[in-house]
Every structure is written in C-alpha cells, then in structure tokens.
Amino acid sequence: IVVSAGKRGLRDITDDVTAAIRDAHRPGTIGTLHCFCEHTSASLVVGPSDPTFATRFEDALNDIVPESWNDEFFRHTAEGPDDMPAHVKSTIVGAHKTVPVDADGTLSPLNGQRLYLCEHRNVGG
C-alpha cells in the first residue's frame, strides 16, 4: 500500500494495512506481514491506541534527538534543521515491522495496539 506521511507526527495506518491484507488474504490461511517504509526520515512503530500516544512519542523522540543537533555537529544540513535529526530518529525507531496475520486476515498480535507511520520532518514524503 502507499500512504502519505504528511506533516511531522504519527499517522495510524492500521486500518489501511488491514484493508490491504483482507483484499489479498485467502480465508483460513495464516502468515506474516512485513511492512517497510522507504522514506528515510520516517519510521514504523507499534503502539497503544491511546490518543495521547502520538504526541508523547513525538515529544520523547524530540528530547532524544533535538533539532539543535543540526547546528551543533551534523554536516548534512542543506535540507533544513529537521532533516538530519529525522534520519537519526528513523534509524532509532526502525523502518520495518513484521506482524503475524491470523486466519481471518487480522493483524494478530496487536491486541488493541495500532501500527503507526511516524514522519519525523515538518513536511514529509
């Protein structure tokens, strides 16, 4: 599937992914879904359905990799102050997730959790 990350923050893509699985799923079969994000300043995360999670997660990443680092020691600065910190955040969080798929085509282990696309730049891909 193709989804747009849009602006900085987390986008819940669970329903998009589930719909794509159901379109291709053969009833009664189980398997695994491997999601990979090709965008180098974005990542994928499994997290709670808590509405405050997205903001808290973004705030935590900004504390771990502040944009001030762009001026302090990064050399790749031509694309704006959020670019290189976004690459670091993507590397920390990861660009892929593998999730079991149940026989009914649902994402098995989520148990109320959600799959999020995390855009780490102010305006993403």
Side-chain angles (χ1 to χ4, degrees):
I1 65 170
V2 175
V3 293
S4 174
K7 63 181 183 171
R8 180 190 300 247
L10 278 67
R11 176 175 174 210
D12 184 343
I13 61 169
T14 309
D15 294 338
D16 299 300
V17 172
T18 300
I21 291 170
R22 290 215 169 111
D23 287 345
H25 182 258
R26 285 188 322 184
T29 61
I30 60 171
T32 56
L33 169 71
H34 185 75
C35 296
F36 175 73
C37 177
E38 295 179 346
H39 183 37
T40 61
S41 60
S43 58
L44 295 169
V45 68
V46 172
S49 60
D50 177 348
T52 66
F53 171 71
T55 302
R56 290 181 303 136
F57 189 78
E58 176 68 22
D59 289 347
L61 285 176
N62 290 333
D63 287 344
I64 294 167
V65 184
E67 283 188 17
S68 63
W69 284 10
N70 203 63
D71 297 325
E72 294 171 14
F73 60 87
F74 288 142
R75 292 187 180 148
H76 174 66
T77 60
E79 295 180 46
D82 62 344
D83 187 52
M84 192 59 200
H87 293 301
V88 174
K89 292 172 188 177
S90 175
T91 301
I92 291 170
V93 177
H96 62 91
K97 293 289 179 260
T98 301
V99 183
V101 177
D102 282 340
D104 64 356
T106 59
L107 300 177
S108 168
L110 293 183
N111 297 326
Q113 297 184 82
R114 309 294 287 176
L115 181 62
Y116 297 92
L117 174 61
C118 312
E119 174 55 60
H120 304 295
R121 295 203 64 195
N122 293 327
V123 179

